[in-house]
Amino acid sequence: MFEEEVNNNTDISILSIESIVDILREKKNYLLSQDVERYVRFVSFDKGVLFINFDTGYPRELLKNLNTFFANAKYNIKVEHSNEAGEDTIYKKKRDIFEAQLKEISSNPILKEISQNFKNSYVAKIEEI
């Protein structure tokens, strides 16, 4: 099944780490998309070569899996071994947004009352309604 998905990647366009995640999800490769979100930092893009860096704890086969997946799309994905760390991971960007929103709503009197009445409660998700 993985080989079948790889062969269908000839007319894709990589513009960012987010576009890689979108492509992986579209092809139903959810585990690899989660790894990209959590561990991959975009550094630069140059003529069919995407330069990335990894956060600590990344799966060792991640680069190989990415290159295998995008092989027929004529893209090479390489790790940048310079001092340039690259952008934050998608996971970190989402976490930073969540923490900023949590800080903003933490002064809400309703949330304060809930926190006082339910000592082990916490905010797991913030949605605009």
PDB file of all heavy atoms in Angstrom, residues 94-107:
ATOM      1  N   LYS A  94       1.383  25.894  17.048  1.00  0.00           N
ATOM      2  CA  LYS A  94       0.036  25.683  17.589  1.00  0.00           C
ATOM      3  C   LYS A  94       0.042  25.784  19.113  1.00  0.00           C
ATOM      4  O   LYS A  94      -0.871  26.356  19.704  1.00  0.00           O
ATOM      5  CB  LYS A  94      -0.507  24.316  17.155  1.00  0.00           C
ATOM      6  CG  LYS A  94      -0.906  24.248  15.708  1.00  0.00           C
ATOM      7  CD  LYS A  94      -1.412  22.861  15.351  1.00  0.00           C
ATOM      8  CE  LYS A  94      -1.810  22.747  13.909  1.00  0.00           C
ATOM      9  NZ  LYS A  94      -2.258  21.378  13.553  1.00  0.00           N
ATOM     10  N   ARG A  95       1.065  25.216  19.739  1.00  0.00           N
ATOM     11  CA  ARG A  95       1.175  25.264  21.200  1.00  0.00           C
ATOM     12  C   ARG A  95       1.337  26.706  21.685  1.00  0.00           C
ATOM     13  O   ARG A  95       0.720  27.115  22.667  1.00  0.00           O
ATOM     14  CB  ARG A  95       2.330  24.394  21.683  1.00  0.00           C
ATOM     15  CG  ARG A  95       2.328  24.174  23.195  1.00  0.00           C
ATOM     16  CD  ARG A  95       3.488  23.350  23.663  1.00  0.00           C
ATOM     17  NE  ARG A  95       4.672  24.201  23.603  1.00  0.00           N
ATOM     18  CZ  ARG A  95       5.871  23.800  23.192  1.00  0.00           C
ATOM     19  NH1 ARG A  95       6.063  22.581  22.807  1.00  0.00           N
ATOM     20  NH2 ARG A  95       6.883  24.636  23.166  1.00  0.00           N
ATOM     21  N   ASP A  96       2.153  27.497  20.984  1.00  0.00           N
ATOM     22  CA  ASP A  96       2.353  28.903  21.355  1.00  0.00           C
ATOM     23  C   ASP A  96       1.056  29.699  21.242  1.00  0.00           C
ATOM     24  O   ASP A  96       0.760  30.531  22.098  1.00  0.00           O
ATOM     25  CB  ASP A  96       3.448  29.537  20.498  1.00  0.00           C
ATOM     26  CG  ASP A  96       4.841  29.027  20.823  1.00  0.00           C
ATOM     27  OD1 ASP A  96       5.023  28.347  21.859  1.00  0.00           O
ATOM     28  OD2 ASP A  96       5.764  29.301  20.028  1.00  0.00           O
ATOM     29  N   ILE A  97       0.284  29.449  20.198  1.00  0.00           N
ATOM     30  CA  ILE A  97      -1.013  30.121  20.025  1.00  0.00           C
ATOM     31  C   ILE A  97      -1.952  29.738  21.158  1.00  0.00           C
ATOM     32  O   ILE A  97      -2.611  30.602  21.759  1.00  0.00           O
ATOM     33  CB  ILE A  97      -1.633  29.780  18.650  1.00  0.00           C
ATOM     34  CG1 ILE A  97      -0.825  30.434  17.531  1.00  0.00           C
ATOM     35  CG2 ILE A  97      -3.099  30.202  18.580  1.00  0.00           C
ATOM     36  CD1 ILE A  97      -1.178  29.945  16.141  1.00  0.00           C
ATOM     37  N   PHE A  98      -2.003  28.444  21.489  1.00  0.00           N
ATOM     38  CA  PHE A  98      -2.863  27.971  22.571  1.00  0.00           C
ATOM     39  C   PHE A  98      -2.474  28.620  23.894  1.00  0.00           C
ATOM     40  O   PHE A  98      -3.337  29.098  24.644  1.00  0.00           O
ATOM     41  CB  PHE A  98      -2.781  26.439  22.692  1.00  0.00           C
ATOM     42  CG  PHE A  98      -3.549  25.899  23.860  1.00  0.00           C
ATOM     43  CD1 PHE A  98      -4.925  25.752  23.790  1.00  0.00           C
ATOM     44  CD2 PHE A  98      -2.902  25.531  25.037  1.00  0.00           C
ATOM     45  CE1 PHE A  98      -5.645  25.259  24.874  1.00  0.00           C
ATOM     46  CE2 PHE A  98      -3.607  25.037  26.109  1.00  0.00           C
ATOM     47  CZ  PHE A  98      -4.983  24.894  26.037  1.00  0.00           C
ATOM     48  N   GLU A  99      -1.189  28.678  24.191  1.00  0.00           N
ATOM     49  CA  GLU A  99      -0.725  29.270  25.447  1.00  0.00           C
ATOM     50  C   GLU A  99      -1.050  30.765  25.511  1.00  0.00           C
ATOM     51  O   GLU A  99      -1.415  31.279  26.568  1.00  0.00           O
ATOM     52  CB  GLU A  99       0.760  29.016  25.636  1.00  0.00           C
ATOM     53  CG  GLU A  99       1.058  27.569  25.976  1.00  0.00           C
ATOM     54  CD  GLU A  99       2.544  27.237  26.039  1.00  0.00           C
ATOM     55  OE1 GLU A  99       3.388  28.141  25.857  1.00  0.00           O
ATOM     56  OE2 GLU A  99       2.852  26.055  26.270  1.00  0.00           O
ATOM     57  N   ALA A 100      -0.940  31.473  24.403  1.00  0.00           N
ATOM     58  CA  ALA A 100      -1.295  32.897  24.366  1.00  0.00           C
ATOM     59  C   ALA A 100      -2.796  33.084  24.602  1.00  0.00           C
ATOM     60  O   ALA A 100      -3.210  33.977  25.353  1.00  0.00           O
ATOM     61  CB  ALA A 100      -0.878  33.510  23.034  1.00  0.00           C
ATOM     62  N   GLN A 101      -3.610  32.229  23.986  1.00  0.00           N
ATOM     63  CA  GLN A 101      -5.060  32.305  24.189  1.00  0.00           C
ATOM     64  C   GLN A 101      -5.424  31.963  25.630  1.00  0.00           C
ATOM     65  O   GLN A 101      -6.284  32.606  26.231  1.00  0.00           O
ATOM     66  CB  GLN A 101      -5.783  31.350  23.238  1.00  0.00           C
ATOM     67  CG  GLN A 101      -5.743  31.765  21.800  1.00  0.00           C
ATOM     68  CD  GLN A 101      -6.314  30.701  20.876  1.00  0.00           C
ATOM     69  OE1 GLN A 101      -6.248  29.501  21.163  1.00  0.00           O
ATOM     70  NE2 GLN A 101      -6.865  31.139  19.749  1.00  0.00           N
ATOM     71  N   LEU A 102      -4.756  30.968  26.189  1.00  0.00           N
ATOM     72  CA  LEU A 102      -5.015  30.563  27.573  1.00  0.00           C
ATOM     73  C   LEU A 102      -4.677  31.696  28.534  1.00  0.00           C
ATOM     74  O   LEU A 102      -5.432  31.979  29.474  1.00  0.00           O
ATOM     75  CB  LEU A 102      -4.212  29.307  27.914  1.00  0.00           C
ATOM     76  CG  LEU A 102      -4.448  28.690  29.279  1.00  0.00           C
ATOM     77  CD1 LEU A 102      -5.907  28.299  29.450  1.00  0.00           C
ATOM     78  CD2 LEU A 102      -3.556  27.468  29.458  1.00  0.00           C
ATOM     79  N   LYS A 103      -3.575  32.363  28.274  1.00  0.00           N
ATOM     80  CA  LYS A 103      -3.179  33.496  29.110  1.00  0.00           C
ATOM     81  C   LYS A 103      -4.223  34.610  29.019  1.00  0.00           C
ATOM     82  O   LYS A 103      -4.570  35.237  30.017  1.00  0.00           O
ATOM     83  CB  LYS A 103      -1.807  34.009  28.670  1.00  0.00           C
ATOM     84  CG  LYS A 103      -1.243  35.079  29.544  1.00  0.00           C
ATOM     85  CD  LYS A 103       0.151  35.458  29.090  1.00  0.00           C
ATOM     86  CE  LYS A 103       0.730  36.543  30.006  1.00  0.00           C
ATOM     87  NZ  LYS A 103       2.078  36.919  29.577  1.00  0.00           N
ATOM     88  N   GLU A 104      -4.737  34.811  27.810  1.00  0.00           N
ATOM     89  CA  GLU A 104      -5.733  35.862  27.597  1.00  0.00           C
ATOM     90  C   GLU A 104      -7.044  35.566  28.319  1.00  0.00           C
ATOM     91  O   GLU A 104      -7.651  36.466  28.909  1.00  0.00           O
ATOM     92  CB  GLU A 104      -5.991  36.004  26.092  1.00  0.00           C
ATOM     93  CG  GLU A 104      -6.918  37.127  25.723  1.00  0.00           C
ATOM     94  CD  GLU A 104      -7.120  37.233  24.224  1.00  0.00           C
ATOM     95  OE1 GLU A 104      -6.130  37.118  23.484  1.00  0.00           O
ATOM     96  OE2 GLU A 104      -8.271  37.437  23.802  1.00  0.00           O
ATOM     97  N   ILE A 105      -7.493  34.317  28.300  1.00  0.00           N
ATOM     98  CA  ILE A 105      -8.783  33.986  28.922  1.00  0.00           C
ATOM     99  C   ILE A 105      -8.670  33.651  30.404  1.00  0.00           C
ATOM    100  O   ILE A 105      -9.680  33.540  31.080  1.00  0.00           O
ATOM    101  CB  ILE A 105      -9.492  32.831  28.186  1.00  0.00           C
ATOM    102  CG1 ILE A 105      -8.728  31.526  28.346  1.00  0.00           C
ATOM    103  CG2 ILE A 105      -9.738  33.171  26.733  1.00  0.00           C
ATOM    104  CD1 ILE A 105      -9.519  30.299  27.931  1.00  0.00           C
ATOM    105  N   SER A 106      -7.473  33.515  30.916  1.00  0.00           N
ATOM    106  CA  SER A 106      -7.315  33.099  32.316  1.00  0.00           C
ATOM    107  C   SER A 106      -7.872  34.113  33.308  1.00  0.00           C
ATOM    108  O   SER A 106      -8.168  33.770  34.450  1.00  0.00           O
ATOM    109  CB  SER A 106      -5.854  32.807  32.636  1.00  0.00           C
ATOM    110  OG  SER A 106      -5.088  33.980  32.489  1.00  0.00           O
ATOM    111  N   SER A 107      -8.068  35.353  32.892  1.00  0.00           N
ATOM    112  CA  SER A 107      -8.640  36.361  33.780  1.00  0.00           C
ATOM    113  C   SER A 107     -10.171  36.371  33.751  1.00  0.00           C
ATOM    114  O   SER A 107     -10.797  37.118  34.503  1.00  0.00           O
ATOM    115  CB  SER A 107      -8.102  37.742  33.418  1.00  0.00           C
ATOM    116  OG  SER A 107      -8.477  38.074  32.101  1.00  0.00           O
TER     117      SER A 107
END
